[in-house]
Amino acid sequence: MASFFKYLFYICIAAAIFLGLKNWLSKSGNSVSKNQIEKNGLTTKESELKSQLDSNKSTPKTTLGHYFVNDTLVEGIFVYRDVFKKRKYPSKLSSMSELDIKKIENGMGYSELLYGQYSNIGGWVKMDEVTYYDDMFPDKEKGDYLVKSSAINGIIIYKDKLRKKKFKTKIAAMQEIQVSKISNGMAYTKMFITSNYDIISGWVEFQYLELKEK
């Protein structure tokens, strides 16, 4: 009888050791998994942050060169006669207008390449209202496209990205256009030749375009 209880005692000790070891291994495994998950999550967040930072990289606004009025400023921007913004021209410079910034001072840029009413005059613009050429027209967005055959009535070409104003002319189905920029479902074509041989620049809805096969 004493031997039986002694045997039972050893079994209980062995079971306790086994359960304790099992719990320790389980906690250790969970800890490793948790640490790995946290590490992977951190790595993912770091990767996403890096990707976002890379996408937000832009040319410093202290760089001289070729600029365009921001595509979101559809009402246009003021052009000033002096760097202190004391005097300005009566009319605005429209969105996507080209400038050649020759001097930057106090957050203002001086351009001699101003078209239309400002031709051969020159003036100052706010640098936060313009975008450097390479940033405005990234190479990855450029390409030759065709208007889809399903657009049997042609597609509208707008004067601004927000579709507030449009040209009277339309682009017919299967007609080729050169896209310089794609943004918010809209594609910008810089030099489109109409049936009347007028050269215009504007925005079309990207859903109606298909990449031209090479």
Side-chain angles (χ1 to χ4, degrees):
M1 192 69 175
S3 297
F4 173 76
F5 283 113
K6 186 176 180 180
Y7 177 72
L8 184 61
F9 174 73
Y10 286 133
I11 291 176
C12 290
I13 292 176
I17 292 173
F18 174 77
L19 289 175
L21 182 61
K22 182 180 179 181
N23 288 336
W24 180 82
L25 289 173
S26 177
K27 289 180 180 180
S28 178
N30 288 338
S31 177
V32 171
S33 299
K34 184 178 180 182
N35 289 338
Q36 188 65 34
I37 290 172
E38 290 177 350
K39 182 179 179 181
N40 290 340
L42 181 60
T43 302
T44 302
K45 288 180 180 179
E46 288 176 347
S47 177
E48 290 175 351
L49 180 59
K50 184 178 184 301
S51 176
Q52 184 177 359
L53 288 174
D54 289 341
S55 65
N56 290 336
K57 282 183 179 178
S58 58
T59 304
K61 290 303 178 80
T62 54
T63 304
L64 301 178
H66 202 186
Y67 283 80
F68 282 75
V69 177
N70 291 349
D71 55 4
T72 54
L73 301 176
V74 298
E75 301 299 331
I77 66 172
F78 287 113
V79 178
Y80 297 89
R81 298 175 184 267
D82 62 272
V83 70
F84 301 108
K85 298 179 288 187
K86 299 294 185 182
R87 299 175 300 161
K88 61 187 177 186
Y89 291 104
S91 300
K92 291 183 175 181
L93 190 64
S94 61
S95 174
M96 301 302 291
S97 294
E98 300 179 51
L99 305 100
D100 186 14
I101 302 296
K102 298 291 188 180
K103 183 176 177 61
I104 298 174
E105 184 179 332
N106 297 329
M108 302 289 289
Y110 179 78
S111 175
E112 295 177 345
L113 182 58
L114 294 168
Y115 295 103
Q117 61 185 319
Y118 306 106
S119 180
N120 301 320
I121 298 176
W124 296 84
V125 297
K126 296 177 182 178
M127 290 302 296
D128 60 1
E129 294 181 339
V130 297
T131 300
Y132 194 68
Y133 178 86
D134 291 343
D135 301 327
M136 179 64 80
F137 301 116
D139 289 336
K140 63 181 180 180
E141 295 181 359
K142 297 175 184 177
D144 294 329
Y145 287 78
L146 294 175
V147 177
K148 290 181 179 179
S149 58
S150 56
I152 57 176
N153 295 320
I155 62 174
I156 298 171
I157 180 166
Y158 296 91
K159 295 182 179 182
D160 61 86
K161 189 169 72 172
L162 302 183
R163 296 179 290 182
K164 290 189 175 183
K165 297 179 181 179
K166 59 186 178 182
F167 292 97
K168 292 181 179 180
T169 186
K170 285 187 176 182
I171 307 178
M174 300 307 296
Q175 192 160 354
E176 180 181 342
I177 66 171
Q178 291 182 333
V179 171
S180 301
K181 181 178 181 66
I182 301 170
S183 177
N184 296 334
M186 301 294 287
Y188 181 76
T189 178
K190 191 176 179 183
M191 295 181 68
F192 173 73
I193 302 176
T194 69
S195 57
N196 295 325
Y197 300 103
D198 294 324
I199 300 177
I200 60 177
S201 299
W203 298 84
V204 299
E205 295 182 70
F206 186 70
Q207 63 175 320
Y208 297 121
L209 302 180
E210 59 184 15
L211 193 62
K212 181 182 177 182
E213 295 182 2
K214 296 181 179 180

